[in-house]
Amino acid sequence: MEKQATTVTSEREIRTNGKRKSRSKIVTLIDFNFKSLVRILDNSFSNRNKMKNTINIIMIALFVGFSQTSKAQESASSSDAKFGIKGGVNFSNMYTNDVDDKNVLVGFNVGLFAKLPVADFISIQPEMYFTTKGAELTYNNAFAEGTAKFRLNYVEVPLLLMINLTDNFNIHGGPYVAYLIDGKTKNDSSNNLFDSEDNLDSDDFNKIDAGLAVGLGIDVDKFSIGARYNYGLTTVGKDRDFGGTTYTFPDGKNSVLSLYMALAF
């Protein structure tokens, strides 16, 4: 009996050490990815004298969130954590007086996520994905009528608090920060005189987009569907000077409604 009890105790220690190592790997991975993101963002702003207050707030929130995620994982079982892929369709716009909200721009998003339980009905969900944003502007003036489109491509990292109201239904929300990769403008006019298509780089717009995300989802085993709204807090365009006058173009902030599907492994 004494020998059998010793064997059971040893098996328990092996399982416990295995779980600790798995949790340690998850925490290390989260810390490494976040530090890499911070270095990228820091290099992007190395030539600037100051950063907007809204970006500071979002970055602090993300830092605190990732720190809490790491701590939460120390007390959560590694077998409860889920990782997967997600993607969907975007309906984007810029909320400003010059944009007709009825003319949304259709795009997409695709990337990775991790769902890390911290309690029976609460999880932390960091994500990283490629997403399209922008706006469509319809105009009609004395010279021409037509449509101008701003297409902007970002790598986005949200950090979401997910609350499971039932076994299959959740609400979620949290801050996000996105890095502009590239973009394109396209103008289609009725008389074809003003048609154009230009590739843009990050120097034409602010490189960082930050804001808040809220949504809801339905989970069925490893499969999920949901809807999410991203509300941008930073202006897309940069300040420009012309004839002694300073203006911002485009003077708008990103607004994106996303419908998504996700598959956990």
Side-chain angles (χ1 to χ4, degrees):
M1 291 295 291
E2 182 176 350
K3 181 177 182 181
Q4 183 178 0
T6 303
T7 302
V8 171
T9 302
S10 299
E11 290 178 352
R12 287 179 179 175
E13 290 177 352
I14 292 172
R15 287 197 298 270
T16 301
N17 290 335
K19 288 183 179 180
R20 287 177 179 173
K21 290 180 179 178
S22 298
R23 289 196 296 267
S24 178
K25 290 180 179 178
I26 294 173
V27 174
T28 301
L29 178 62
I30 293 172
D31 289 340
F32 173 76
N33 288 337
F34 179 69
K35 290 175 181 176
S36 298
L37 176 63
V38 170
R39 284 197 297 268
I40 292 173
L41 297 179
D42 183 62
N43 290 334
S44 298
F45 283 100
S46 60
N47 295 325
R48 297 186 180 184
N49 293 325
K50 61 181 181 178
M51 194 183 299
K52 292 184 178 180
N53 290 334
T54 50
I55 296 177
N56 277 328
I57 294 172
I58 296 299
M59 290 303 299
I60 291 172
L62 284 170
F63 177 78
V64 173
F66 271 96
S67 298
Q68 293 301 316
T69 298
S70 299
K71 292 179 181 178
Q73 274 305 107
E74 290 291 347
S75 60
S77 172
S78 61
S79 61
D80 293 334
K82 295 181 180 180
F83 303 86
I85 58 176
K86 67 186 298 290
V89 59
N90 292 346
F91 302 95
S92 64
N93 213 326
M94 296 181 194
Y95 58 95
T96 176
N97 295 331
D98 297 329
V99 175
D100 185 350
D101 290 337
K102 297 179 181 179
N103 297 321
V104 297
L105 190 66
V106 180
F108 70 96
N109 65 84
V110 60
L112 307 172
F113 73 91
K115 188 173 183 178
L116 313 174
V118 296
D120 291 339
F121 62 95
I122 298 177
S123 300
I124 299 294
Q125 183 160 308
E127 301 177 357
M128 179 178 290
Y129 49 77
F130 173 88
T131 184
T132 63
K133 301 185 182 184
E136 179 177 304
L137 171 64
T138 299
Y139 60 88
N140 186 0
N141 53 45
F143 300 100
E145 61 179 291
T147 302
K149 297 179 180 179
F150 292 89
R151 294 187 180 274
L152 305 175
N153 300 321
Y154 294 87
V155 172
E156 186 162 294
V157 180
L159 182 64
L160 307 171
L161 176 67
M162 184 168 292
I163 300 176
N164 299 310
L165 300 180
T166 68
D167 290 338
N168 303 109
F169 182 74
N170 71 75
I171 58 174
H172 53 267
Y176 77 84
V177 62
Y179 183 84
L180 178 66
I181 301 175
D182 58 21
K184 179 180 291 186
T185 61
K186 184 176 182 180
N187 185 62
D188 295 317
S189 59
S190 58
N191 55 19
N192 298 325
L193 294 177
F194 301 98
D195 288 359
S196 64
E197 185 170 349
D198 297 315
N199 291 320
L200 305 170
D201 57 34
S202 56
D203 292 332
D204 295 301
F205 297 96
N206 284 322
K207 294 181 181 180
I208 300 299
D209 175 42
L212 301 174
V214 293
L216 51 86
I218 298 175
D219 305 315
V220 180
D221 196 13
K222 296 182 179 181
F223 181 74
S224 302
I225 59 173
R228 184 180 302 167
Y229 177 67
N230 280 21
Y231 182 78
L233 298 176
T234 58
T235 303
V236 174
K238 288 184 174 182
D239 291 338
R240 307 170 189 268
D241 294 319
F242 180 77
T245 301
T246 301
Y247 67 98
T248 303
F249 180 81
D251 186 13
K253 301 174 182 178
N254 282 315
S255 172
V256 183
L257 174 65
S258 300
L259 304 178
Y260 68 85
M261 295 186 296
L263 180 63
F265 301 108

